[in-house]
Amino acid sequence: MPKWLKDAVFYEIYPQSYKDSNNDGIGDINGIIEKLDYIKSLGCNALWINPCYDSPFKDAGYDVRDYKKVAPRYGTNEDLYRLFGEAHNRGIKVLLDLVPGHTSEEHEWFKKSCEVDRNEYSDRYVWTNSVWQGIGGHLYVSGEAPRDGVYMLNFFKCQPALNYGFLNKTEDWQKSPDDPACIATREAMKDIMRFWLDHGCDGFRVDMADSLVKEDDDKKSATCKIWRNIREMLDKDYPEAAMVSEWSNPQQALTGAGFHMDFYLDHHGNGYNTLIRDNETPGGDHSFFKKDGKGDIERFLKDYLPKYTESKDDGYISFLTCNHDTPRSSFTLSPLEQKIAFAFFFTMPGVPFLYYGDEIGMRYQQLPSKEGGYARTGTRTPMQWNHDKNMGFSTGAEDTLYLPVDKSSDAPCVEDQLADADSLLNTVKKVIALRHEYEDLQADGSFEVVYAKAGEMPFVYKRGNLIIAVNPSDQAASAPVECTPSEIWKIGSVAIKENAIEMEPQSFFIGKIG
Ligand code: GLC
Ligand code: CA
């Protein structure tokens, strides 16, 4: 386990939308370098950068054409190596995005795989034996290649599935996961990882990490076996490199596959969803962090506690403020609701992730789809820095911007929020600073529920020797506590009476026990 994860706070950067350094309207690596001091000032000490590799950008870069080459629109490999160095000088680690499940249909491997004559890449992707032979239960493309066969997709049409084999084989064209061709795919991924790690990268966020072996069993044991093999390489040669999975099943991802961290993603009806985005429940939005949601923390705990208890010895669950695939949290929460929700995320065990712009409450924009974003596009707009042209994102012409900046007159920006002591930005900074200050708040600190009642507020929990109470509702609430904690920090007004904590509407409290 990389030691630095214990006190890591991640910042996710969507590179095309963060900072444009050369006025072409698209964010780039040098732009990120310019903003490293800002990122450090937030208290973030690690980055996850969405795919920045050469790509036709039909899925915003998740369709990789060359895993070892930075996309020219973001700069050069040398720029990225320089980013690693500049980040390290400031105590910031950098994770790249590894996309192991598929490539772009324009990747050289795939072009070779489409050829009629057998070659090294013929089995790098999943093909049937005839163009008339489809693949039940999976998306596939037929009739586009000289080769006689259909190929399997992993996501969009532009993303053919790499071949890691089938656990439960039912067709003769399916390879077993131990087939040399499938092992070669795994080794090719390891080679890509080594390439970036050797150039100074600190690990990877892994895209669709659970998708490798097809027709895997319920525990995904064949997919886990591949990740275990990769973990062996890391433990041996790169023990400080960190891996976070897009899996959202910590018992499988952490305990089974050996990832260090696993995202707690927004899946309809799961624990995370009940906290901030429970807007599909009949009868309105019952999100716990909505002041009028009449939320129920038990719904969260029922999902989270078994996940946490069963996986905590193996790795970390990662809470996120949102990511490039979900609506921003400001879509459902007001700035005050966000303050309380983020204070909760950053005081939970595991390793938290802040999505760029969430620290100022950037808003979700209704926009036409860009580069395969569809509804996700609205979460991917340019960072709002100040009141300069294009809100400081780019000095280029407005019509060249990757996506339009938020044009509302009250669009939040970093400059304004830095000047306002009570802003969301300053709240986020404060709570991250507390996390660094108190080891009990960090990844390994214990977590214990003190007071949680279905449909009642507040929610009270302990992290080591600290007690935390949260009342996101618009009603005052109180809870019995068997101690008289001394206040460390709070949002809103909270009073400690003997053996009780009394909380005004929309308040949050961190105190020290004893
Ligand atoms: C993941 C990414 C998403 C991408 C998809 C296919 O879910 O987060 O943005 O479109 O995988 O690679
Ligand atoms: Ca640029």
Side-chain angles (χ1 to χ4, degrees), residues 68-138:
K68 293 184 180 173
K69 182 179 172 206
V70 167
R73 76 183 197 185
Y74 299 136
T76 61
N77 281 26
E78 279 62 38
D79 293 334
L80 186 53
Y81 307 153
R82 203 158 55 82
L83 169 61
F84 297 149
E86 292 287 339
H88 294 161
N89 289 342
R90 293 165 176 83
I92 297 173
K93 306 276 188 179
V94 183
L95 302 200
L96 295 179
D97 209 317
L98 183 73
V99 189
H102 47 268
T103 66
S104 157
E105 60 198 345
E106 294 184 20
H107 194 289
E108 281 306 317
W109 297 342
F110 187 66
K111 289 192 200 154
K112 296 289 280 180
S113 200
C114 287
E115 289 175 6
V116 175
D117 294 332
R118 294 272 318 161
N119 61 63
E120 193 187 337
Y121 300 101
S122 296
D123 296 324
R124 179 59 51 94
Y125 298 81
V126 180
W127 292 86
T128 66
N129 291 331
S130 144
V131 78
W132 312 116
Q133 183 181 25
I135 306 176
H138 294 273

Side-chain angles (χ1 to χ4, degrees), residues 311-355:
S311 67
K312 73 178 168 42
D313 295 336
D314 301 306
Y316 301 120
I317 292 177
S318 284
F319 282 91
L320 43 146
T321 59
C322 101
N323 70 20
H324 65 290
D325 291 331
T326 68
R328 285 191 179 270
S329 47
S330 59
F331 189 56
T332 44
L333 303 183
S334 72
L336 179 52
E337 289 167 344
Q338 278 180 287
K339 282 183 194 171
I340 297 170
F342 293 1
F344 168 81
F345 291 148
F346 291 123
T347 55
M348 285 296 279
V351 179
F353 280 67
L354 172 66
Y355 184 59

